[in-house]
Amino acid sequence: MDMPSLKTRVSAEEWQLRCDLAACYRLVAHYGWSDLVFTHITARLPGPEHHFLINPYGLMFDEITASSLVKVDAECNKVIDSPFPVNPAGFIIHSAVHEAREDAGCVLHTHTRAGVAVSAQQGGVLPISQQSTFVLAGLAYHEYEGVAFRPDEKPRLQADLGSANFLMLRNHGLLTVGPTIADAFLSMYVFESTCQIQLSAQAGGPLIEVNPQIVAGVAESMRVQTSGLGGAFVWPALLRKLDRLGADYSR
C-alpha cells in the first residue's frame, strides 16, 4: 500500500505507538490468527481526548503500516483523514473496553479456529496446561449476542469483562486487554496456545487437571517468567523477527 507517511504529522509518542500497533498486526498475520480483514487490534493514544488507533477496514493484516492506521475518537469519528472506513462491529467491541478500562492501552481480538472452538465448549478453558493457568488467573466470559454492531451490548460486555485481561466471547472468539501492545500480544499468544493445547488434549484420553492452588498462585509465576517486564520482555525479539522477515510495517 502506497500511503503517505504520517511520521511528520504526529507526535513522536504517537508515531511509536503506530509502529508498535502495525507490528502487532503483522505478527498476528504471521502466526495465523487473522481472519481475512474481520478482526481488530486497537491502541489508545495518551491524553484526555480518548482517541485510539484501529486498522483500516479492508486491508489484510500483513498490509497494515504505521501510517495506514486510522485515528478515531470515542464516537468513531476520524481525527486524521483516511481513505479507509472503520468496521462498526469492531468499533463497538473495542470502544466498549477502552471506555470502561482506563488501563486498556491495547485490545486484541481474534476469530481463530481454536479460540472459537473452545469458546463454544460448555466448560470453556480447562485447567489442563501450564498455559491455561495463566489465562484462568484473569479470565471472563461474555455470551454471544450476534454480530456486535448494537451499542446496547456495550454495558453487558463491560460488566462481563470487569477487571479481567482475558475475555472469551462465547461462540465468537478471544479478546485480550493489556496496558501496552506488547502485553496484549503476549496474553493472546498464551490464550491461543491454551486453546490449541486443549483441543489436542481432548482428542486423546482422559485429562489431568492442574491443582487449583497452582492456578491461584500463577500471577507471581508470570512475573518471574518475564523478569517483571510482562510483554516488554519478548517484544524486542518479536520486532527483530519481523525485521528478518522484511515486514515494512514502520512506514
Side-chain angles (χ1 to χ4, degrees), residues 26-27 33 37 60 85 89 94 117 123 126 132 187 196 203 221-222 250:
R26 298 298 184 101
L27 287 164
W33 305 341
V37 302
M60 300 290 280
H94 288 256
L126 303 177
S132 72
S187 291
Q196 291 183 12
S221 299
M222 177 60 92
S250 57

Side-chain angles (χ1 to χ4, degrees), residues 23 27 233-247 249:
L27 287 164
F233 184 75
V234 297
W235 194 245
L238 289 166
L239 295 183
R240 292 195 299 271
K241 183 182 191 68
L242 286 179
D243 290 340
R244 291 194 299 273
L245 294 170
Y249 60 92

